[in-house]
Amino acid sequence: MKKILLSFLAFISVATTYAQFSYSFTAVGGTYTANATPTQIIASGTDDAISASTPIGFNFVMGCTTYTTFTASSNGWMGLGGAAFYSEAFNDLDLSTLGPKIAPLWDDLATGSGGNVNYKLTGTAPNRVLTVEWNQMGWTFSATTWGISFQAKLYETSNRIEFVYTRNGNATANLSSPSASIGIAGPTSGQFYSLNNTSGSPTASSVTETDNILDKPANDQIYRWDNTATFCSGTPTGGTSSASPASTTCAALTTTLTGVGMSTGCGLSYQWQSSPNNSTWTNIAGATNSTYVATNVANTYYRLVTTCTASGLSGNGASTLVNFTGTVPANDLPCNATPMIIGLSASGNNGCSGGASEPPVPACWVNGTVNTVWFRVNAPASGTLKIKTTLLSSGAILQNTQIAVYSGACGAGMTLVNCNNDATACGGYTPLNSELSLTGLTPGATYFIAVDGYMDQTGQFELLAIDGSATFPLVPGQDCSVSFPVCNQTMTIGNPGYQSIGGQCDNTGAAASECTSGEANSVWYNIQINTAGTLTFDIIPNDYGNPNPITGQANASYTTSGDETDYDWVLWKVSGSGATNCATIMSSGGNSSSACNFSYLGVTGCSTSGNAPGAYGTGFDAAYEVGPAVVAGEQYILAIHNFSNSTSGFSLQVPVVTPILYTPTTTVYWTGGANSTSANTAAN
């Protein structure tokens, strides 16, 4: 095999039925008769070629499906039902994407200088035979002399398949690095039969593919495949249904439904149905296999209906009840949207919500399961709105939001105004919260806001809408000018830590003097200096160590440095000689930072030596900088960034002997409340 070429096969069948793939295999002796006056479909001296789609000449059933056309590859296989875009030199019968394949000798072959691939239709209906012949093939493409000819025969009515061989020389003569597969493959993953050798009595396995056959079958050897699939008639058996788990919750909304004891075979189709009362049944769109994963948000009955295509009759399976023990949010539907007051945050949780009776998913969203909750707000007199989600720093948070705004009467027919997945980037970091600025709104009109999580994410969040002429309020601890004071030797931020950025982008990381790429899930600290010395500190992620040496948190997956959250930081002097300020940090990066570290490691900080303290080991040396010399009266701002976008908090720790002044503050910083962590929430 000189190359790997992926195969994309478009198989078009006359009739598609339940995919049963069952064959008996027999090896017999016979006679190889070359096609007389055949039609050539691949010329001599050709490597890696695929024929055009060609009529079989009659209806041929493979597995449960009827085909009328075929394509042939110079690499010793033929496909049924359509056009193959690649000749597929890499033999792999059990690969799920290959589809129905008939492979008398699948390897990286080439037609010899006097060879070709051809076909001929013989006989009369209903007993016609299509013979596809690979004549004088080089095995493999680099062989200088042809080594083998072989045929695949398709029989009308019986739907038998035969492989017939004749060789040039003995079993191994004229071969060049052979490694072949012989067998057949169905249209569905796992449907195949593979011969284990080329003897007169090989074994056909539907479990293990042999893809390293090294020698030729004997002259006139025939390998025969007979279709043993059964076709349905009359009324099929409905069987029963099972569900695992038998009840769902907000934390686990899905259950796997499985049909048990129903009829199987060809010509059968399956359809799952649901019912709120075990009486009125509705087809579940797309649920047409014998198993189905259902999202269950209410007590619901399920059953499987089995239909025989030939008779048109159906059997209803016995139903199974799946209970739901969670609570769907009150604002799950647009018409139940939570009203908002401009300027005040509203709390939300999209766990247990769904997407039924709603407008289509906006193009800017990235969704798996739709889990939207709804809010509504009246546009102010300015006709402008700014809307953003706030990612919380406590609880079961929704870490990555997406929002959309709609106008019109509530329901599935609302008109999309605009949508957003991620807010505007702050330097090199793209926040995972969402933000929209809307203009041209109708004053006094009601607008509906949908909030969902990226892909399948669910959790708690906050939503804020303000007049578009205003600016978003600053967030204590997440904006430079309202930074937290360092008032203890150890300050621990619990999981999930601070997410996204504050009310504004305070630092883009663009200044040449700093090493970060901007704010990323940041928290800001204000450090007062009491006496001359060296400013040192350690930042210890909560997911470092097992257990964490400060919080005691167990981290079973932690084994070595680098497994922890990547925290980075920048330190600026904001009072004293050469000081900068928050406005300059925002506009130009603060002119010059006092220290900065952007290592991929998470245990990081400043030390007198510029290396990690002994307690953390030399593996973190690259994450440490030499602490700046400080004098009394100076003040510093420390911005700590969670570059990993993780949900792990950290501890900020300073030595027992430190130049830092732990000054009591007259400001109380709120870190939790009735329903949120935001000072803008009315309930707080």
Side-chain angles (χ1 to χ4, degrees):
M1 294 170 287
K2 72 174 187 290
K3 62 184 86 68
I4 297 175
L5 298 175
L6 293 179
S7 174
F8 300 92
L9 305 177
F11 296 108
I12 305 167
S13 63
V14 172
T16 301
T17 57
Y18 174 67
Q20 186 185 61
F21 194 74
S22 176
Y23 277 81
S24 65
F25 171 75
T26 311
V28 299
T31 301
Y32 183 95
T33 303
N35 280 343
T37 62
T39 300
Q40 176 178 285
I41 50 178
I42 298 177
S44 62
T46 302
D47 182 23
D48 292 335
I50 192 74
S51 74
S53 181
T54 304
I56 294 173
F58 50 85
N59 289 344
F60 183 80
V61 179
M62 186 174 185
C64 291
T65 304
T66 300
Y67 299 95
T68 60
T69 60
F70 74 93
T71 54
S73 167
S74 61
N75 292 313
W77 60 266
M78 60 185 290
L80 299 182
F85 302 117
Y86 293 99
S87 58
E88 191 60 58
F90 180 61
N91 47 302
D92 197 348
L93 286 168
D94 60 358
L95 186 64
S96 62
T97 59
L98 294 180
K101 233 179 189 66
I102 296 169
L105 188 70
W106 187 3
D107 203 348
D108 194 356
L109 312 180
T111 56
S113 58
N116 61 23
V117 180
N118 64 72
Y119 77 95
K120 186 167 185 176
L121 183 66
T122 57
T124 58
N127 298 306
R128 290 168 288 191
V129 180
L130 172 70
T131 302
V132 179
E133 181 175 48
W134 288 260
N135 179 40
Q136 297 187 18
M137 302 299 294
W139 185 10
T140 59
F141 72 97
S142 58
T144 57
T145 303
W146 74 274
I148 189 169
S149 295
F150 53 91
Q151 298 171 336
K153 293 178 174 288
L154 276 59
Y155 289 83
E156 187 179 17
T157 304
S158 70
N159 298 305
R160 171 175 287 176
I161 301 169
E162 287 185 343
F163 301 159
V164 193
Y165 302 87
T166 188
R167 62 196 191 190
N168 183 23
N170 62 31
T172 59
N174 305 314
L175 305 185
S176 176
S177 302
S179 183
S181 297
I182 297 176
I184 57 177
T188 304
S189 175
Q191 295 179 334
F192 72 95
Y193 288 90
S194 175
L195 299 191
N196 66 336
N197 59 52
T198 57
S199 68
S201 56
T203 298
S205 174
S206 60
V207 177
T208 302
E209 180 193 4
T210 299
D211 60 4
N212 59 354
I213 290 175
L214 304 176
D215 49 14
K216 313 169 196 173
N219 286 328
D220 302 320
Q221 178 68 59
I222 297 176
Y223 296 142
R224 178 175 294 159
W225 308 88
D226 286 304
N227 192 346
T228 57
T230 57
F231 286 80
C232 70
S233 62
T235 301
T237 300
T240 61
S241 303
S242 67
S244 179
S247 65
T248 58
T249 66
C250 290
L253 287 171
T254 60
T255 182
T256 300
L257 305 174
T258 304
V260 180
M262 69 286 187
S263 294
T264 60
C266 295
L268 292 169
S269 63
Y270 298 133
Q271 175 65 63
W272 285 98
Q273 295 181 330
S274 64
S275 172
N277 52 18
N278 208 25
S279 176
T280 303
W281 293 93
T282 302
N283 289 344
I284 302 174
T288 55
N289 292 316
S290 59
T291 61
Y292 177 67
V293 178
T295 299
N296 190 73
V297 294
N299 295 344
T300 304
Y301 293 89
Y302 297 93
R303 73 179 184 185
L304 182 63
V305 178
T306 304
T307 301
C308 176
T309 303
S311 66
L313 300 176
S314 299
N316 297 328
S319 65
T320 185
L321 172 63
V322 179
N323 291 307
F324 176 65
T325 58
T327 302
V328 175
N331 60 341
D332 179 43
L333 296 174
C335 292
N336 296 328
T338 299
M340 295 183 65
I341 300 173
I342 289 180
L344 293 179
S345 290
S347 298
N349 189 333
N350 70 326
C352 275
S353 61
S357 302
E358 298 181 2
V361 173
C364 76
W365 284 14
V366 180
N367 273 88
T369 302
V370 178
N371 301 110
T372 49
V373 286
W374 291 83
F375 301 81
R376 56 184 171 87
V377 63
N378 293 333
S382 66
T384 62
L385 278 173
K386 290 179 181 176
I387 303 168
K388 69 181 296 186
T389 55
T390 300
L391 307 183
L392 303 181
S393 56
S394 63
I397 69 166
L398 176 57
Q399 193 186 16
N400 192 340
T401 62
Q402 43 197 7
I403 62 175
V405 176
Y406 295 85
S407 63
C410 65
M414 294 186 297
T415 300
L416 177 67
V417 177
N418 207 342
C419 64
N420 178 259
N421 185 344
D422 295 322
T424 302
C426 180
Y429 166 71
T430 299
L432 298 183
N433 69 309
S434 309
E435 186 174 323
L436 280 173
S437 181
L438 305 175
T439 60
L441 306 179
T442 302
T446 298
Y447 290 86
F448 295 86
I449 307 168
V451 182
D452 197 359
Y454 177 86
M455 291 299 292
D456 300 322
Q457 290 190 28
T458 59
Q460 301 168 346
F461 62 91
E462 288 183 355
L463 183 68
L464 176 64
I466 63 173
D467 192 299
S469 61
T471 58
F472 286 113
L474 300 181
V475 178
Q478 284 206 277
D479 283 301
C480 179
S481 61
V482 286
S483 55
F484 288 149
V486 173
C487 52
N488 285 298
Q489 181 189 356
T490 300
M491 300 182 65
T492 296
I493 301 298
N495 299 334
Y498 282 89
Q499 303 292 312
S500 190
I501 62 174
Q504 62 189 13
C505 177
D506 288 291
N507 177 233
T508 64
S513 64
E514 68 166 279
C515 60
T516 73
S517 57
E519 288 192 74
N521 308 299
S522 304
V523 58
W524 296 72
Y525 288 96
N526 185 299
I527 303 172
Q528 305 281 345
I529 303 301
N530 184 49
T531 186
T534 301
L535 177 57
T536 62
F537 57 85
D538 302 306
I539 299 168
I540 313 301
N542 292 348
D543 57 3
Y544 161 75
N546 187 25
N548 183 277
I550 298 175
T551 66
Q553 175 178 305
N555 299 303
S557 61
Y558 185 87
T559 59
T560 188
S561 58
D563 290 346
E564 71 286 339
T565 291
D566 178 4
Y567 273 101
D568 306 314
W569 55 269
V570 188
L571 182 71
W572 293 273
K573 183 193 293 187
V574 293
S575 178
S577 178
T580 186
N581 54 53
C582 288
T584 306
I585 291 172
M586 178 187 292
S587 64
S588 61
N591 297 327
S592 179
S593 61
S594 299
C596 180
N597 190 276
F598 197 57
S599 165
Y600 73 95
L601 301 169
V603 176
T604 181
C606 278
S607 67
T608 55
S609 66
N611 293 325
Y616 304 115
T618 58
F620 291 103
D621 282 351
Y624 273 77
E625 305 295 331
V626 175
V630 296
V631 297
E634 291 181 340
Q635 184 178 345
Y636 290 81
I637 288 287
L638 175 64
I640 300 175
H641 308 317
N642 177 345
F643 187 78
S644 297
N645 275 335
S646 79
T647 54
S648 175
F650 65 91
S651 293
L652 174 63
Q653 192 170 54
V654 297
V656 174
V657 179
T658 177
I660 295 176
L661 174 64
Y662 299 139
T663 304
T665 178
T666 58
T667 304
V668 175
Y669 292 90
W670 190 261
T671 59
N675 64 352
S676 75
T677 59
S678 174
N680 297 311
T681 301
N684 288 339

